[in-house]
Every structure is written in C-alpha cells, then in structure tokens.
Amino acid sequence: MKLVLWDIDHTLIATRGVGRKLFGKAFEEVTGTVIREQAIVDGMTEPVIFRETADLHGIRSDRTMFEDFARRSADLHRLHAHELRERGHALPGAAAALAALAGMEGVVQSVVTGNIRPVAEIKLQVFGLDTHIRFPYGGYGEDHDDRAELVRTAITRTRHDHPVHRSRRSPHR
C-alpha cells in the first residue's frame, strides 16, 4: 500500500481571501480584538498562526483559547461554505489527479495540512474533492505545530490499518 498525502491550500484549492476573512472573524470573536495584522501563514499550522497573530496584538494565548478559536473557525467555515464555493475554486487538475490515484491499486490518499481537521474537510467538500480522501489518516494543524510531525502522524495513523511502503523517489524522476 502506498500513501499519498496532499496539502490543501494552494495545492488542491484556492480560497481567494475567504479563509483569511474567516480567520479574522473567528479571531475577533474569541479574543475580542479586531485583527489588524495576521502572522505569516505559508507553511504554518493553525495553532502557530493563531498564537503568533495573538502575539502581534499583545494577547497572551493558550491552548484553551486556540481550541475555542478552532471550534469557531469550523463553525464559520460551515456557515460560509457558499461564499467559499462562490469566491474560491479547486485548482486545475486537482480533481483529475485525485481521481487518477483513486483508480490505482494499493493507493490511499489523505492530507497533511496546517488546517484543523473540520476546516480541511469543509474546504475539500465544498469543491467536491473529498470523495477520495481518507480523512482519518491525515495529519492536521491541531496535531502538532511542526508540519514535519504532521507527516509522521499521518503515516502512523495509516499504519494502524495498512502497511505503508515508504518511497524516497522524487516525483520529478
């Protein structure tokens, strides 16, 4: 069995500003502070983005505050799924790539993303990209601050049900 792990944002989809807007709204509702500046997001996990954004606003955050933020963020993504669908889009070739791999024997697909799991599921469902993804096997932002650890988490979760063969081959070979 081979495990293929996908990132979501800028790999499978583009939210075209909706994700940033919902982050800001959830941040304000949880902290009581209007977001003036958001921490760097590329390659970061939600807990790190939340913590660093709170720091930029002089707010001392903790895990409980992040968990409140995560619940509110998931709620807002559900409530604004229509806006995400209208403004965002699946990236060209994403659906075809997922479908092609789904047709291959011995391939399991999941995600490694800085998003929390409920938001990851909503984002892919909105664009119809969820059907081939095995979400229980993924690595998500709430699992660890370090993205490399998210890969290890996904492999460990998958190994419970399937033996995973590691491949060191570059996709460019």
Side-chain angles (χ1 to χ4, degrees), residues 18-172:
V18 176
R20 181 177 292 271
K21 173 186 163 186
L22 297 178
F23 181 98
K25 188 170 180 131
F27 183 87
E28 180 178 355
E29 290 180 16
V30 169
T31 67
T33 301
V34 175
I35 195 168
R36 295 181 317 271
E37 179 181 6
Q38 186 178 34
I40 296 169
V41 299
D42 294 339
M44 300 296 168
T45 62
E46 288 285 338
V48 171
I49 298 166
F50 178 81
R51 185 174 57 245
E52 290 183 3
T53 300
D55 287 347
L56 289 172
H57 291 81
I59 299 168
R60 288 183 64 95
S61 64
D62 59 17
R63 188 65 185 190
T64 300
M65 186 181 282
F66 170 73
E67 289 169 0
D68 290 344
F69 166 83
R71 279 189 295 279
R72 190 62 191 135
S73 178
D75 290 343
L76 288 169
H77 276 80
R78 278 188 281 282
L79 289 169
H80 292 270
H82 66 282
E83 184 179 359
L84 185 58
R85 190 176 302 106
E86 290 169 5
R87 289 185 45 197
H89 60 88
L91 291 175
L98 290 165
L101 286 172
M104 296 176 70
E105 183 74 28
V107 173
V108 172
Q109 299 179 80
S110 194
V111 294
V112 168
T113 177
N115 290 291
I116 59 171
R117 181 174 169 176
V119 169
E121 290 178 2
I122 292 162
K123 284 180 173 182
L124 292 181
Q125 287 167 358
V126 161
F127 299 110
L129 300 177
D130 60 319
T131 57
H132 304 300
I133 299 295
R134 303 284 298 275
F135 289 104
Y137 299 146
Y140 302 94
E142 68 267 26
D143 294 327
H144 202 281
D145 287 354
D146 180 2
R147 285 183 72 100
E149 287 299 321
L150 301 182
V151 173
R152 288 190 255 299
T153 297
I155 291 169
T156 299
R157 286 178 175 154
T158 306
R159 281 188 176 152
H160 285 6
D161 295 334
H162 305 281
V164 177
H165 302 289
R166 285 189 173 179
S167 173
R168 298 248 181 230
R169 290 191 326 224
S170 167
H172 302 291

